[in-house]
Amino acid sequence: MTYPHPDERQLPAQWQNVLCDYAERHSKILAMAFRLVHPVATAPAFAEQPLQAFLGGFLDHVQGKRLDPAHLAVTSTGGTDQRLSHLVLVLLDGHRTQSGIGHLRLARAIWADTLGLPNAESLALPCLSPDGDNGMKLRRDRPDWAGQLDRCSRWGSSLIVSHLNPTPGV
């Protein structure tokens, strides 16, 4: 499911809405996040096409595996080189997939193909969960379901805020 982009101030709340909507439909969720970086300085007007091509390929693939994806993508210019990057937050059906590693490999392959590069290992980077994993697993059958949702909401929100307000020199 794709959600419309609100203004930047509303993005953390939008992430929470995406997560809560998804949690109503799924009792197990794999939450992932990764950054897609453009290899050279790219004008924002030209960044939307590669992002849409990437999302089309990635979401079509995981939808074909019946993983019922939901996502939120955020674009920002930051760091010392002012390269554009996209933060992509993804939710997948945790009954059908358990690990983010294969999905990260897929993201790297699709981003490389989108950019016409042989690989994009350094341009498609995982955003590690608070536990240091390649994703966050949420399960309704655990007593801390509400806490898991809150933790995932805060994780995604903090990624959004740090993506939109990067630390200078990083």
Side-chain angles (χ1 to χ4, degrees):
M1 182 174 280
T2 303
Y3 294 84
H5 272 263
D7 71 44
E8 286 183 3
R9 295 177 311 254
Q10 296 176 354
L11 285 167
Q14 181 72 14
W15 168 244
Q16 186 170 7
N17 291 340
V18 170
L19 179 60
C20 289
D21 179 54
Y22 203 79
E24 288 180 15
R25 298 190 328 260
H26 296 281
S27 62
K28 290 184 180 179
I29 300 170
L30 176 63
M32 298 180 46
F34 37 84
R35 294 186 198 286
L36 305 174
V37 181
H38 287 264
V40 294
T42 305
F46 297 107
E48 192 64 24
Q49 182 185 13
L51 175 62
Q52 292 307 317
F54 167 82
L55 288 173
F58 184 83
L59 296 173
D60 284 351
H61 182 84
V62 295
Q63 185 65 44
K65 301 247 182 225
R66 299 178 23 183
L67 298 178
D68 190 27
H71 79 283
L72 183 68
V74 181
T75 300
S76 176
T77 304
T80 56
D81 58 8
Q82 294 299 302
R83 291 189 299 174
L84 270 169
S85 64
H86 311 284
L87 172 67
V88 180
L89 298 150
V90 180
L91 300 172
L92 300 172
D93 181 352
H95 284 281
R96 297 183 178 273
T97 186
Q98 302 296 312
S99 171
I101 294 170
H103 304 297
L104 176 61
R105 284 189 197 120
L106 173 67
R108 286 177 169 158
I110 293 172
W111 190 236
D113 189 52
T114 299
L115 298 175
L117 299 172
N119 76 56
E121 206 160 302
S122 65
L123 301 174
L125 309 167
C127 299
L128 299 179
S129 73
D131 295 330
D133 293 329
N134 240 355
M136 192 178 241
K137 297 173 195 117
L138 294 79
R139 295 178 53 151
R140 186 179 294 149
D141 63 351
R142 301 247 168 98
D144 64 338
W145 173 246
Q148 291 175 60
L149 289 173
D150 180 61
R151 191 167 179 229
C152 187
S153 176
R154 285 185 285 118
W155 174 56
S157 294
S158 71
L159 289 173
I160 291 167
V161 169
S162 67
H163 185 73
L164 293 172
N165 303 299
T167 304
V170 175

